[in-house]
Amino acid sequence: MLSCTLLSCNNSQNQPNPQSEGEENFISVFKEGKYTTDFATAQELKSMHYTIENFTLLSNKKKLENLKAYQEFGDLMQMHADRITTFCRLDADTKNLLCKKVDKIKTEVQTLHGDDMEKSKAALKAINLHLAEIDSSFSYMN
């Protein structure tokens, strides 16, 4: 149920296709202090950003005081991380940088799937910090 709520506004974009063999990578440019991203990566990062933002807003309003909600959020974070690495068309160096940052979020997914509410809340805070790190390194919200 929570998954449907958080994803409802995120799924309006077209679904990108995985990179096919022989397809050229997007060459990222470091512009105005951030790396540019290809369309598919930008869409996946935006979707993840909005999911995190929505869940954080709900949790701040004390609407989500159960482990099941945090576990479902963990499932969504894992899905976003997988989709970013699958659909990313960035050049190898930039993709590697992005994947290192996304891996930090994936590490928190294990905590979200645990059975400790306080640790899950701390993981949400950590995910927001990791998202801020991605936001400060990549241009994708245009």
Side-chain angles (χ1 to χ4, degrees), residues 2 4 33 42 44 50 60 63 79 97 99 102 110 112 119 122 125 134:
L2 174 66
C4 295
E44 292 303 324
Y50 292 131
N60 287 342
K63 303 274 186 203
M79 180 206 65
L97 176 65
C99 287
V102 170
Q110 300 305 315
L112 292 169
K119 286 183 180 179
K125 288 180 183 178
I134 292 170

Side-chain angles (χ1 to χ4, degrees), residues 68-133:
K68 182 68 174 153
Y70 281 85
Q71 291 166 347
E72 286 185 30
F73 176 67
D75 293 342
L76 290 173
M77 288 299 93
Q78 184 65 51
M79 180 206 65
H80 284 304
D82 292 345
R83 289 179 59 84
I84 288 167
T85 55
T86 300
F87 297 122
C88 180
R89 292 188 53 231
L90 296 173
D91 56 272
D93 290 339
T94 310
K95 181 177 182 176
N96 191 27
L97 176 65
L98 176 59
C99 287
K100 284 180 183 177
K101 293 179 184 299
V102 170
D103 283 348
K104 292 178 182 179
I105 291 174
K106 288 168 61 174
T107 300
E108 300 300 334
V109 168
Q110 300 305 315
T111 303
L112 292 169
H113 284 138
D115 58 1
D116 186 319
M117 188 67 167
E118 292 307 311
K119 286 183 180 179
S120 292
K121 287 179 181 181
L124 175 59
K125 288 180 183 178
I127 286 171
N128 274 285
L129 292 174
H130 299 315
L131 177 65
E133 192 178 315

